[in-house]
Amino acid sequence: MSHTKIRKCLFPAAGYGTRFLPATKAIPKEMLPVLTKPLLQYGVEEAISAGLDTMAIVTGRGKRAIEDHFDISYELEHQIKGTSKEHYLTEIRAVITKCTFSYTRQVEMKGLGHAILSGQTLIGDEPFAVILADDLCDNDEGPTVLNQMVKLYEKHRCSIVAIEEVPIEETHKYGVIKAHEIEKNLFEIEDMVEKPDPKDAPSNLAIIGRYILTPDIFEILEQTLPGKNGEIQITDALRTQAQKGKVLGFKFAGRRFDCGSVDGFVEATNYFYAK
Ligand code: G1P
C-alpha cells in the first residue's frame, strides 16, 4: 500500500564517531549531549514536530545505549517518582509516548547510501524522512526544518534535500548540487556531486543532513556503485533519481550546526545555552 503521508523517519546512526574519540569509544556519537540532551533526541523531537511517529534507527555494534535511551528505565522511574527531580524526565517521557522506535543494524560500514538501504526493512514502500543527527538544526522563528520539508513534500511529492550556502572552500565536506531556482528558496536539481574539490564544485549549495526520500530510492541504491571514498553515496543515488524524475533542493529557514566537528559542537552548545 502506498501511503501519501510521511510517517517514518530514518536515522543513520552506525558511524564510529572517530572525530570525537576518546568520548565515543564506548558511547555512540549520537548520544553525545548538547547541554543535557543527546544529539539523537534533538533529531527525534524534530521528526515529531513534523508529524512523524515512527522512528527507524540504523545502528551498529556498540550502539545499545540508543535503545536504552528511548525506553523506560524502571529503576530510574521508581527512584525519581514523586521527588523534586521528576521534571528532569519530562522531555524524554514525552518522546517515548509520542512515537515508536525500531532498529536494524548496518553490519558493514559501506557509506551513507548503504546505511539508508539497510533501513529499507524498517521503512517499506512509502516516502520517508532522513535525519543525520550530527547536523543539529534549529529555527527560532517558526516550524522546524523537517516540518518545513514535509509541508513542501505534500505539495511536490518528490525527494527533497535540505541545502545551505557554504564557503566555496568547504565544498569538499558536502554533497553539492547544480540547480536552478524555481521559486524562492526552492531549486530543481540538475546534477549533484559528493564532496567535490572547490575547483570542481558546481555551486556552493551544500546538502545538509535532512532528506525526504521517495521509496524508489531503494531500488536505485541497490544499483548504485561505490563512489567517493569507495562508499555507496546517497548523493549518487539522488543524482540518478533527479535525472530520471525530479529532486528538489530546499534552502530552509533556520540554523544548522555541524556537530560532527568539535567546533560546530561547541557553537551549538553555546547557542542552546544562551537560549
Ligand atoms: C553526508 C553526505 C553529504 C552531506 C553531509 C551533510 O556526509 O554524504 O552529501 O552533505 O552528510 O552533513 P558526511 O558528513 O556523513 O561525511
Side-chain angles (χ1 to χ4, degrees), residues 41-258:
Q41 190 178 331
Y42 285 91
V44 169
E45 289 176 358
E46 187 179 329
I48 293 172
S49 80
L52 281 53
D53 63 8
T54 307
M55 307 300 148
I57 306 185
V58 178
T59 67
R61 288 175 290 280
K63 300 276 188 168
R64 285 168 57 178
I66 295 176
E67 292 177 50
D68 290 338
H69 184 73
F70 295 108
D71 192 4
I72 296 283
S73 160
Y74 282 103
E75 196 176 332
L76 195 57
E77 291 286 337
H78 177 76
Q79 286 293 331
I80 224 171
K81 205 171 181 71
T83 74
S84 60
K85 292 182 181 158
E86 196 172 351
H87 67 277
Y88 290 119
L89 284 177
T90 311
E91 274 179 299
I92 184 65
R93 278 179 179 162
V95 163
I96 294 168
T97 54
K98 282 181 191 149
C99 54
T100 62
F101 293 86
S102 54
Y103 300 87
T104 190
R105 280 190 182 193
Q106 184 185 9
V107 177
E108 288 174 285
M109 298 301 135
K110 294 200 282 197
L112 179 57
H114 179 257
I116 292 173
L117 185 55
S118 307
Q120 181 177 16
T121 175
L122 304 176
I123 300 293
D125 186 25
E126 58 183 285
F128 61 103
V130 175
I131 289 184
L132 307 184
D134 51 14
D135 275 336
L136 182 51
C137 291
D138 188 56
N139 183 20
D140 254 349
E141 267 132 48
T144 61
V145 175
L146 198 64
N147 196 349
Q148 297 165 43
M149 293 175 73
V150 166
K151 280 188 202 143
L152 260 186
Y153 173 78
E154 282 163 9
K155 193 168 155 207
H156 295 276
R157 308 264 157 197
C158 64
S159 292
I160 305 171
V161 300
I163 52 171
E164 186 176 79
E165 284 187 49
V166 297
I168 195 79
E169 62 276 11
E170 286 183 18
T171 56
H172 67 281
K173 296 188 197 162
Y174 302 96
V176 177
I177 66 166
K178 175 171 188 258
H180 57 276
E181 201 164 8
I182 53 170
E183 53 187 78
K184 194 169 180 336
N185 297 328
L186 193 62
F187 295 76
E188 182 160 347
I189 295 177
E190 293 153 30
D191 200 1
M192 56 213 293
V193 40
E194 179 68 4
K195 304 198 171 93
D197 274 352
K199 63 173 172 35
D200 304 323
S203 74
N204 69 336
L205 295 173
I207 300 170
I208 68 112
R210 299 289 179 280
Y211 305 78
I212 304 276
L213 300 175
T214 53
D216 55 311
I217 199 73
F218 291 126
E219 237 178 82
I220 300 174
L221 277 168
E222 273 170 17
Q223 308 290 324
T224 300
L225 299 172
K228 190 86 185 178
N229 302 326
E231 296 178 333
I232 296 171
Q233 299 294 350
I234 188 63
T235 304
D236 293 340
L238 280 164
R239 187 214 291 124
T240 305
Q241 205 182 37
Q243 284 164 358
K244 283 187 178 168
K246 187 165 81 164
V247 176
L248 296 175
F250 173 53
K251 229 195 235 178
F252 57 92
R255 289 198 58 168
R256 163 256 175 187
F257 301 94
D258 172 17

